[in-house]
Amino acid sequence: MERLLKNRMLNPNSRRSIFPLSGLLYCEKCGSRMRFRVGENKKQGQHWSALCYHQYKDGSKCEQRGKVMDADFFNALYNRIIHVDPDILREIELHGSRYSDTQTIIEVKEQDLKKQKRALDKLHESYEEDMITKQVFLERKAIRSRRIQKLEEELKELRKIIVDEGNYPTVEQIYERIGEFRELWSSVVTSEEKNRALKKLVERIVYNREGNRVELTVCYR
């Protein structure tokens, strides 16, 4: 019983925020949220470990190796967070470019839609004024109507993309949030405060260990 009390597993429920990385640390190998264990021994005293306990449908367990989360681990994590990976910055910049391109496409299609609707109105006027036959009117109307329907469907999908992409941070926003995080992190004391500080900037942290090498990938909000 004494051994169990010294080495107890914590529920991964992020709302508890009882550990700085509660609800934030995910396994690279299986994608599952990692769990934390507090243990105690003569060499390290009380210490925390990050572990993946995911079990696949066939009964096999995730091969991810855990890590004692000591001061070196958190220093490496802090440096990873405040020094944004160049690849992430390039992806953010590309995303911003795609967002602008999508907005331009929407504007072009909106103009085309207005043009098609005006043309359809004029077609009705021409028919009412006996300038074209009914057959010609119906043929041209069908063409215009199909074009209008297609444009409306395309615009609906593009606007959904814009809404989703609009929540994506810019490079400037990332650096602004990092500055705020550094100020906040320097004053926090408890695990709950550290967890809240991290969640203001970080969406998730992806963990992977190969041998003695640990890789941490930070996904920003």
Side-chain angles (χ1 to χ4, degrees):
M1 287 299 294
E2 183 181 355
R3 183 73 174 176
L4 288 172
L5 287 171
K6 287 183 177 180
N7 293 273
R8 56 189 186 276
M9 186 65 64
L10 301 179
N11 190 293
N13 191 335
S14 62
R15 290 175 294 181
R16 294 175 66 180
S17 301
I18 56 179
F19 188 71
L21 298 184
S22 293
L24 290 172
L25 197 65
Y26 288 79
C27 174
E28 168 72 24
K29 288 180 168 53
C30 67
S32 298
R33 185 183 294 173
M34 297 188 69
R35 300 176 69 179
F36 308 104
R37 184 176 68 190
V38 58
E40 188 174 337
N41 57 40
K42 292 181 180 179
K43 183 179 179 180
Q44 295 172 309
Q46 190 177 73
H47 60 276
W48 293 78
S49 299
L51 301 153
C52 182
Y53 274 72
H54 177 72
Q55 187 169 337
Y56 297 101
K57 292 181 179 180
D58 62 2
S60 62
K61 295 180 179 180
C62 179
E63 298 178 355
Q64 186 66 269
R65 293 182 62 195
K67 176 74 171 67
V68 173
M69 307 175 80
D70 52 17
D72 290 339
F73 176 90
F74 277 102
N75 288 335
L77 174 61
Y78 177 80
N79 287 325
R80 171 67 70 183
I81 289 172
I82 65 173
H83 298 104
V84 188
D85 189 315
D87 290 337
I88 293 177
L89 290 177
R90 281 192 289 272
E91 177 59 31
I92 292 172
E93 289 173 346
L94 285 172
H95 185 277
S97 177
R98 291 195 297 268
Y99 179 79
S100 299
D101 291 344
T102 304
Q103 284 184 311
T104 300
I105 293 170
I106 286 176
E107 291 171 2
V108 171
K109 288 187 178 294
E110 284 177 338
Q111 291 299 319
D112 191 8
L113 181 60
K114 289 178 181 178
K115 179 181 176 181
Q116 295 297 328
K117 287 183 176 180
R118 286 196 300 267
L120 186 58
D121 290 338
K122 290 181 179 179
L123 185 63
H124 278 278
E125 292 175 3
S126 298
Y127 176 63
E128 290 171 358
E129 295 174 2
D130 293 329
M131 296 176 65
I132 56 174
T133 64
K134 182 177 181 179
Q135 183 64 29
V136 171
F137 167 71
L138 293 174
E139 290 174 356
R140 293 181 181 178
K141 180 184 177 183
I143 294 171
R144 296 289 182 187
S145 296
R146 284 195 298 271
R147 178 61 179 166
I148 289 171
Q149 182 180 0
K150 183 180 179 182
L151 284 168
E152 288 176 338
E153 290 172 354
E154 290 173 348
L155 282 166
K156 183 179 179 180
E157 292 303 315
L158 287 168
R159 288 175 182 134
K160 286 181 181 178
I161 293 172
I162 282 291
V163 170
D164 293 337
E165 292 181 343
N167 296 322
Y168 206 85
T170 63
V171 172
E172 292 76 15
Q173 287 173 329
I174 289 293
Y175 278 121
E176 182 180 349
R177 293 173 189 174
I178 287 174
E180 295 172 353
F181 166 76
R182 294 180 69 170
E183 290 182 12
L184 189 59
W185 189 258
S186 64
S187 63
V188 297
V189 177
T190 67
S191 292
E192 289 85 352
E193 290 173 336
K194 291 178 179 179
N195 186 265
R196 287 195 294 269
L198 283 165
K199 286 181 177 178
K200 285 181 179 293
L201 173 65
V202 177
E203 181 72 33
R204 64 167 54 199
I205 299 163
V206 181
Y207 168 99
N208 190 43
R209 180 176 175 180
E210 299 294 343
N212 292 323
R213 185 166 176 264
V214 173
E215 291 185 357
L216 298 171
T217 303
V218 178
C219 303
Y220 297 90
R221 288 191 180 275

